[in-house]
Amino acid sequence: DVKVTQSSRYLVKRTGEKVFLECVQDMDHENMFWYRQDPGLGLRLIYFSYDVKMKEKGDIPEGYSVSREKKERFSLILESASTNQTSMYLCASAIVGYEQYFGPGTRLTVT
Amino acid sequence: QKEVEQDPGPLSVPEGAIVSLNCTYSNSAFQYFMWYRQYSRKGPELLMYTYSSGNKEDGRFTAQVDKSSKYISLFIRDSQPSDSATYLCAMIKGAQKLVFGQGTRLTINP
């Protein structure tokens, strides 16, 4: 079974803090993704990576950056957290784009 | 206009009923069509995917794609309380980027 783990289930941070969300997959997948999920908006793609050190912007990259130094690990960075970044963050990995496996999510609250 | 439209519900049906969940889309370039199931406080899990128009069956689940109408459906037969979840349709554009519907919250009542 594919396993995608995320570093925290719940996180509370203050406005202006730098926030790191970590994601690890154990299936040697090339592709990894970060989404946020908000009521009424569904899942929206923030960034994805198709190889180590390679990244592409998704639909809502503003205010975020990513890092992929190792194949199994993909990090999402909020440089200066803001209240409108309060959301559920979901990481996924895939061999092919249409078969993505998701982690359990991190619910981030920015106060 | 959103690329993918999905009625958020909620939808509540009795156990054993046939459930129909639907999405419409506007981008004719979409080729792969997916259904994900998401239980409360969990990440989405892939239920089924189909390529192009037609039907695909997996146990009690049938996915249907009508590209001419830009309409996809998921049917659940003999619905069970364990099917209670949010169901998300998704479509792929390009090689990697999924576009999701809002999700429909489904409750199956015993």
Side-chain angles (χ1 to χ4, degrees):
Chain A
D1 271 358
V2 176
K3 190 147 186 193
V4 179
T5 57
Q6 295 183 230
S7 50
S8 306
R9 292 301 305 273
Y10 301 94
L11 210 51
V12 180
K13 295 292 182 181
R14 293 196 180 276
T15 301
E17 278 193 81
K18 191 167 185 174
V19 181
F20 293 86
L21 302 182
E22 301 277 321
C23 176
V24 178
Q25 51 98 359
D26 67 356
M27 283 303 291
D28 203 36
H29 287 168
E30 303 287 341
N31 305 292
M32 296 187 75
F33 307 81
W34 276 107
Y35 295 88
R36 61 178 284 175
Q37 185 174 29
D38 300 288
L41 296 175
L43 275 82
R44 293 177 292 165
L45 181 64
I46 304 170
Y47 267 98
F48 70 99
S49 168
Y50 51 91
D51 202 350
V52 174
K53 297 191 188 295
M54 306 303 287
K55 62 186 179 186
E56 277 200 32
K57 293 180 180 178
D59 297 317
I60 51 163
E62 297 78 19
Y64 303 94
S65 62
V66 290
S67 172
R68 189 151 180 220
E69 297 296 320
K70 292 185 177 181
K71 192 175 187 180
E72 67 271 18
R73 190 178 296 268
F74 191 34
S75 302
L76 180 69
I77 303 151
L78 286 66
E79 296 290 342
S80 177
S82 63
T83 54
N84 63 12
Q85 293 178 310
T86 291
S87 187
M88 169 70 86
Y89 289 88
L90 289 158
C91 174
S93 75
I95 297 174
V96 289
Y98 57 82
E99 197 168 345
Q100 296 186 17
Y101 296 88
F102 283 83
T106 295
R107 185 164 294 281
L108 172 68
T109 302
V110 183
T111 62
Chain B
Q1 184 192 2
K2 290 180 182 175
E3 283 188 287
V4 180
E5 298 275 2
Q6 183 177 11
D7 185 340
L11 182 61
S12 182
V13 302
E15 183 175 354
I18 296 174
V19 176
S20 172
L21 303 167
N22 310 294
C23 289
T24 59
Y25 63 95
S26 57
N27 189 342
S28 57
F30 289 135
Q31 289 192 310
Y32 281 91
F33 304 89
M34 282 69 67
W35 286 96
Y36 283 82
R37 176 175 63 196
Q38 185 175 23
Y39 291 115
S40 182
R41 290 185 288 279
K42 302 270 190 182
E45 57 176 326
L46 180 65
L47 270 179
M48 301 176 70
Y49 68 87
T50 53
Y51 177 73
S52 199
S53 284
N55 290 3
K56 185 174 182 180
E57 192 173 312
D58 184 0
R60 297 183 295 109
F61 297 88
T62 300
Q64 193 172 77
V65 174
D66 182 350
K67 290 192 80 177
S68 63
S69 302
K70 296 190 178 69
Y71 190 87
I72 70 169
S73 300
L74 178 72
F75 298 98
I76 307 173
R77 290 185 300 281
D78 188 25
S79 55
Q80 304 294 310
S82 58
D83 295 328
S84 298
T86 296
Y87 289 80
L88 301 141
C89 65
M91 301 166 198
I92 197 159
K93 58 180 179 181
Q96 310 290 356
K97 295 172 72 169
L98 288 185
V99 180
F100 283 86
Q102 283 188 66
T104 299
R105 198 167 76 203
L106 173 67
T107 301
I108 309 297
N109 300 301

